[in-house]
């Protein structure tokens, strides 16, 4: 039997950058994101097969690298332990966006794998349990189980059983919210988020102050989401992004993901907002230079044309999307 799930990527406005437990992937703070639409998604089929001597992974039409297969096998091991199974699986996975767009694919990738894998091994998990499982593949994947606005509650328990995502509001709740994305670089990042956040925790003197700031911004952002009030969260989103990139720079050796185009975009969005006398767009950047501009539908054209002025490789306009979906059509 084959099982197939689709998960959409998510882009955080309150960022996860730091683990308090490396093995269980438990974060140092709560984070908040919006789930994107299907333009940024992963579809994964999992089939268990007693004749296999090891797991088999096909990614975007090709046999996966050893490194990718090891990570997937380790993750499937968690599901097998829970299902008390020793059978290996064939996994076929496809990203809707080219891997080389430099977009985070680990969030949608591990969320889809958790959902399809749990079904294939006969586990029936709640969304909360799936979120806990996906977290152990990649931290950001914990949020992609749900659609709309999503918070990852860091939890306080040592075993991670209270560290999972919850939905703050459904995907249709804020129908005119958009993320206009400028793809600036397509190369793999030089410092992985896993090793980067570990070094930040070990070396950044500013990190403690960041955690206080995150708590303040969390209040503002939660309040704005509950009212669908873009203007009151825009500044917090931009401050949060800059704060994360500031502790990255304060890391030794320093981590720099932003490039000149990213900084130009920050400047142009600030200019747009001051020309309007109110915030109409807010930038956020993850572990790479690509710009994510949250805005509302009526400003999408204008934001896109601003982004085009810095010559991006590609622009994607994403609406807010759904959580995990199970599909009847399987990837062969
Ligand atoms: O994708 P992960 O689990 O390695 O974490 C990446 C974290 C950021 O994208 C930089 C921020 C976030 O909260 O998604």
């Amino acid at each position: 039997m084959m099982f197939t799930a689709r998960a959409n990527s998510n882009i955080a406005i309150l960022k996860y950058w730091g683990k308090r437990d490396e093995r269980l992937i438990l974060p140092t703070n709560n984070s908040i994101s919006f789930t994107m639409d299907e333009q940024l998604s992963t579809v994964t089929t999992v089939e268990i097969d007693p004749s296999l001597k090891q797991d088999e992974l096909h990614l975007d039409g090709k046999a996966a690298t050893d490194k990718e297969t090891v990570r997937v096998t380790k993750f499937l091991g968690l599901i097998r332990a829970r299902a008390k199974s020793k059978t290996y699986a064939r996994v076929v996975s496809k990203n809707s966006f080219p891997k080389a767009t430099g977009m985070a694919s680990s969030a949608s990738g591990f969320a889809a794998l958790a959902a399809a894998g749990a079904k294939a091994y006969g586990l029936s998990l709640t969304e909360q349990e799936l979120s806990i499982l996906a977290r152990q593949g990649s931290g950001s994947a914990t949020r992609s189980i749900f659609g709309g606005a999503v918070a990852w509650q860091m939890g306080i328990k040592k075993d991670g059983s209270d560290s999972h995502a919850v939905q703050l509001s459904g995907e249709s709740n804020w129908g005119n919210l958009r993320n206009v994305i400028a793809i600036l670089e397509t190369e793999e990042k030089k410092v992985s988020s896993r090793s980067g956040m570990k070094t930040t925790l070990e070396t950044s003197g500013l990190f403690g102050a960041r955690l206080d700031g995150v708590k303040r911004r969390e209040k503002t952002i939660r309040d704005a989401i509950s009212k669908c009030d873009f203007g009151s969260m825009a500044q917090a989103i931009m401050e949060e992004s800059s704060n994360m990139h500031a502790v990255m720079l304060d890391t030794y050796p320093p981590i720099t993901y932003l490039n000149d185009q990213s900084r130009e975009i920050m400047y142009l969005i600030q200019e747009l907002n001051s020309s309007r006398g109110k915030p109409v767009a807010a930038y956020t950047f993850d572990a790479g230079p690509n710009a994510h501009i949250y805005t509302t539908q009526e400003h999408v054209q204008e934001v896109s044309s601003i982004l085009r002025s810095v010559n991006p490789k590609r622009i994607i306009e994403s609406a807010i999307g759904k959580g995990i979906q199970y599909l009847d059509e399987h990837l062969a």
Side-chain angles (χ1 to χ4, degrees):
M1 283 276 273
M2 292 186 190
F3 291 87
T4 300
R6 171 165 49 219
N8 297 339
S9 186
N10 71 76
I11 299 300
I13 52 176
L14 193 74
K15 307 287 194 185
Y16 148 58
W17 191 256
K19 295 179 180 68
R20 67 174 195 283
D21 185 309
E22 289 280 326
R23 188 180 61 85
L24 290 172
I25 312 195
L26 300 175
T28 51
N29 56 271
N30 297 338
S31 54
I32 296 177
S33 59
F34 289 101
T35 300
M36 298 292 101
D37 68 21
E38 282 155 24
Q39 294 176 82
L40 300 171
S41 65
T42 305
V43 174
T44 297
T45 296
V46 179
E47 178 186 24
I48 62 171
D49 181 347
S51 74
L52 292 177
K53 300 272 178 293
Q54 57 186 58
D55 293 317
E56 244 179 57
L57 170 64
H58 295 267
L59 246 180
D60 292 327
K62 287 188 298 223
T65 62
D66 286 349
K67 199 175 152 205
E68 287 162 337
T69 309
V70 165
R71 201 165 165 201
V72 163
T73 284
K74 201 174 147 212
F75 185 74
L76 288 176
L78 299 172
I79 302 181
R80 279 191 282 266
R82 195 157 172 163
K84 300 195 170 41
S85 168
K86 290 199 157 51
T87 312
Y88 290 107
R90 189 171 295 111
V91 178
V92 185
S93 192
K94 203 171 173 345
N95 289 306
S96 67
F97 45 98
K99 219 170 139 207
T101 49
M103 293 295 305
S105 56
S106 66
S108 53
F110 278 98
L113 181 62
K119 287 253 190 230
Y121 281 93
L123 297 176
S124 98
L125 303 183
T126 62
E127 283 181 320
Q128 183 174 310
E129 287 168 328
L130 262 187
S131 176
I132 289 174
L133 176 63
R135 188 199 76 219
Q136 294 167 80
S138 169
S140 56
T142 202
R143 297 184 306 241
S144 273
I145 301 299
F146 299 95
V150 182
W152 175 8
Q153 327 228 94
M154 60 179 286
I156 49 167
K157 292 190 183 160
K158 270 204 144 87
D159 66 357
S161 58
D162 58 352
S163 184
H164 56 79
V166 294
Q167 189 180 56
L168 297 179
S169 69
E171 59 274 12
S172 49
N173 201 49
W174 203 339
N176 71 345
L177 190 66
R178 297 288 181 274
N179 178 4
V180 187
I181 306 165
I183 308 290
L184 304 173
E185 241 173 52
T186 53
E187 272 165 39
E188 286 252 342
K189 49 193 178 225
K190 287 172 199 74
V191 179
S192 72
S193 46
R194 184 172 291 232
S195 79
M197 60 178 84
K198 184 166 187 281
T199 324
T200 296
L201 235 73
E202 287 162 359
T203 64
S204 168
L206 298 179
F207 189 75
R210 161 161 170 74
L211 293 181
D212 294 335
V214 166
K215 283 191 192 123
R216 273 197 309 279
R217 290 187 286 276
E218 180 177 2
K219 281 201 187 73
T220 308
I221 287 172
R222 275 180 182 264
D223 194 46
I225 287 174
S226 73
K227 296 182 197 139
C228 296
D229 179 358
F230 183 81
S232 67
M233 73 175 184
Q235 188 178 332
I237 292 176
M238 294 183 276
E239 283 177 1
E240 170 60 10
S241 172
S242 296
N243 187 265
M244 178 179 75
H245 289 275
V247 298
M248 288 166 167
L249 187 61
D250 185 49
T251 299
Y252 199 85
I255 305 166
T256 50
Y257 289 121
L258 304 182
N259 66 17
D260 287 347
Q261 286 165 297
S262 321
R263 283 183 283 271
E264 177 69 10
I265 289 170
M266 290 166 69
Y267 171 74
L268 292 171
I269 297 295
Q270 288 291 345
E271 250 194 352
L272 168 69
N273 287 340
S274 49
S275 75
R276 291 306 153 90
K278 63 173 188 191
V280 296
Y283 47 76
T284 186
F285 300 86
D286 282 332
N290 298 332
H292 294 268
I293 314 299
Y294 278 104
T295 187
T296 47
Q297 171 135 51
E298 70 259 44
H299 301 290
V300 164
Q301 284 312 317
E302 196 170 11
V303 167
S304 293
S305 76
I306 288 174
L307 293 178
R308 270 195 290 278
S309 75
V310 307
N311 291 320
K313 295 206 159 62
R314 192 173 156 195
I315 290 178
I316 300 172
E317 296 169 9
S318 175
I320 306 309
K322 297 187 180 129
I324 290 291
Q325 300 150 71
Y326 295 95
L327 310 181
D328 294 328
E329 255 183 58
H330 308 293
L331 300 176

